[in-house]
């Protein structure tokens, strides 16, 4: 109930720039770094969400009046300066978000300043340890220290607990493993999968601008994402039990069987497409 309420609150306040930093290149960069530093899956998803929220705040600052951003400068030059600053520090902020996520995951591998600095220097950045610490602080202050945000994995794991309690016939461990693999895949193929989902839902291959805009809430719905990933995983592992899992998910969350079916179709279409020789 708490996660559902949190999800609804986030969707009700959804900023227009939501999803701006979930492009495949950025996500892949974060995933590869998380793997390099031996972080668990929760940390990589947390890093993506932290960077997303931080960058949205930065975009909002650009959209503010110049008097709020830089007094005594022209509008064009102030916005240009902010954009350059965001561009120049993007990799640094990305690394800071991974560092913060590693500290939140309660995992034994925490990305310390030395590790982060060594990586940045390998990319020919000349940051100091002090600048690295200031970058972490900048992310914290911009997000008002509200960084312990729920990720889709948290929704998935909680729903799997409920399914097990309700007598789901599929073994929990392989189902969880498949969910994590498919969640990784969805993060990396996010735009393509949600584009298929939109066209399937409206039964039209050329959605209007209004339909695309309204669909943003669907793309950011973590509960729908979790339900869709579990449903798809159940179908991959054992199609015979898939209907039972969908019925349970519908009962638990109230998301219709049709919506679950459409989500699973969109994911499977791209999974199968990626494995075709």
């Amino acid at each position: 109930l708490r996660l559902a309420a949190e999800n609804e609150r986030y969707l009700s306040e959804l900023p227009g720039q939501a999803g701006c930093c979930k492009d495949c290149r950025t996500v892949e960069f974060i995933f590869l770094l998380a793997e390099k530093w031996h972080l668990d899956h929760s940390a990589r998803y947390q890093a993506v969400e932290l960077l997303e929220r931080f960058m949205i705040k930065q975009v909002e600052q650009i959209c503010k009046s110049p008097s709020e951003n830089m007094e005594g400068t022209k509008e064009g030059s102030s916005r240009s300066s902010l954009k350059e600053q965001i561009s120049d520090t993007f990799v640094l902020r990305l690394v800071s978000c991974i560092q913060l996520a590693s500290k939140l995951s309660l995992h034994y591998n925490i990305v310390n300043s030395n590790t982060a600095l060594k990586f940045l220097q390998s990319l020919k950045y000349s940051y100091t340890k002090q600048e690295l610490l200031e970058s972490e602080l900048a992310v914290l202050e911009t997000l008002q220290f509200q960084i312990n945000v729920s990720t889709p994995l948290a929704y998935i794991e909680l729903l799997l607990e409920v399914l097990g309690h309700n007598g789901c016939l599929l073994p929990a461990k392989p189902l969880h493993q498949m969910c994590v693999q498919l969640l990784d895949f969805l993060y990396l193929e996010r735009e393509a999968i949600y584009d298929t989902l939109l066209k399937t839902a409206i039964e039209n291959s050329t959605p209007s601008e209004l339909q695309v805009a309204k669909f943003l809430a669907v793309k950011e719905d973590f509960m729908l994402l979790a339900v869709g990933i579990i449903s798809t995983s159940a179908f991959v592992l054992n199609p015979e039990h898939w209907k039972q899992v969908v019925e349970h998910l519908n009962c638990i969350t109230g998301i219709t069987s049709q919506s679950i079916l459409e989500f699973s179709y969109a994911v499977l279409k791209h999974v199968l497409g990626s494995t075709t020789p």
Side-chain angles (χ1 to χ4, degrees):
L1 289 174
R2 182 187 64 79
L3 281 178
E6 181 181 316
N7 188 54
E8 288 298 322
R9 184 169 59 253
Y10 174 65
L11 292 177
S12 68
E13 303 169 350
L14 196 63
Q17 300 84 11
C20 66
C21 278
K22 292 181 181 178
D23 63 279
C24 62
R25 291 183 302 172
T26 301
V27 170
E28 184 178 16
F29 192 179
I30 290 174
F31 280 14
L32 289 172
L33 264 183
E35 185 176 342
K36 173 183 174 67
W37 290 330
H38 308 290
L39 302 180
D40 60 11
H41 280 82
S42 64
R44 65 168 67 180
Y45 303 130
Q46 189 98 55
V48 172
E49 298 305 325
L50 285 178
L51 181 65
E52 160 85 355
R53 284 160 172 73
F54 172 77
M55 292 304 297
I56 286 174
K57 293 291 186 183
Q58 295 289 285
V59 171
E60 288 175 349
Q61 288 183 12
I62 290 179
C63 295
K64 286 181 180 179
S65 65
S67 59
E68 292 179 81
N69 284 320
M70 296 182 179
E71 293 185 7
T73 62
K74 293 182 180 179
E75 180 178 356
S77 62
S78 65
R79 291 194 175 189
S80 175
S81 176
L82 276 171
K83 288 178 181 178
E84 288 176 6
Q85 182 182 352
I86 290 172
S87 177
D88 292 344
T89 60
F90 182 76
V91 174
L92 174 62
R93 299 295 189 247
L94 183 149
V95 170
S96 294
C97 287
I98 296 177
Q99 284 188 274
L100 290 170
S102 74
K103 296 171 184 178
L104 288 169
S105 69
L106 301 179
H107 198 262
Y108 64 90
N109 279 324
I110 291 178
V111 182
N112 59 38
S113 297
N114 291 331
T115 300
L117 201 59
K118 184 178 179 181
F119 169 73
L120 288 167
Q121 289 172 347
S122 73
L123 298 182
K124 309 304 180 183
Y125 288 105
S126 57
Y127 293 116
T128 65
K129 188 173 291 189
Q130 181 63 31
E131 288 174 316
L132 197 60
L133 293 172
E134 289 173 354
S135 178
E136 273 194 88
L137 185 58
V139 173
L140 287 169
E141 290 179 340
T142 300
L143 297 177
Q144 298 180 324
F145 292 85
Q146 297 177 11
I147 61 170
N148 195 16
V149 296
S150 298
T151 69
L153 183 61
Y155 286 77
I156 288 172
E157 291 179 338
L158 189 58
L159 288 173
L160 289 178
E161 290 275 357
V162 178
L163 283 176
H165 180 76
N166 289 353
C168 178
L169 297 176
L170 287 173
K173 187 173 182 180
L175 184 56
H176 180 271
Q177 291 173 339
M178 181 59 67
C179 283
V180 171
Q181 291 179 38
L182 286 179
L183 186 59
D184 276 0
F185 180 79
L186 185 138
Y187 263 85
L188 292 166
E189 297 289 335
R190 183 175 183 271
E191 287 304 317
I193 290 173
Y194 277 111
D195 182 60
T196 296
L197 181 57
L198 170 58
K199 292 175 180 177
T200 301
I202 65 173
E203 299 180 346
N204 193 326
S205 60
T206 54
S208 66
E209 290 185 9
L210 179 60
Q211 288 172 322
V212 172
K214 288 185 175 181
F215 194 70
L216 182 61
V218 176
K219 294 172 70 174
E220 295 300 320
D221 189 335
F222 283 179
M223 189 64 77
L224 174 62
L225 172 55
V227 166
I229 290 294
I230 293 173
S231 164
T232 311
S233 299
F235 184 84
V236 171
L237 290 174
N238 194 328
E240 293 180 4
H241 296 314
W242 176 74
K243 186 176 180 180
Q244 181 216 38
V245 172
V246 171
E247 289 174 350
H248 277 304
L249 290 171
N250 166 245
C251 182
I252 295 166
T253 65
I255 296 174
T256 65
S257 299
Q258 180 66 24
S259 295
I260 298 172
L261 172 62
E262 289 174 353
F263 199 106
S264 295
Y265 166 77
V267 176
L268 285 171
K269 179 180 179 180
H270 290 277
V271 168
L272 295 174
S274 68
T275 56
T276 301

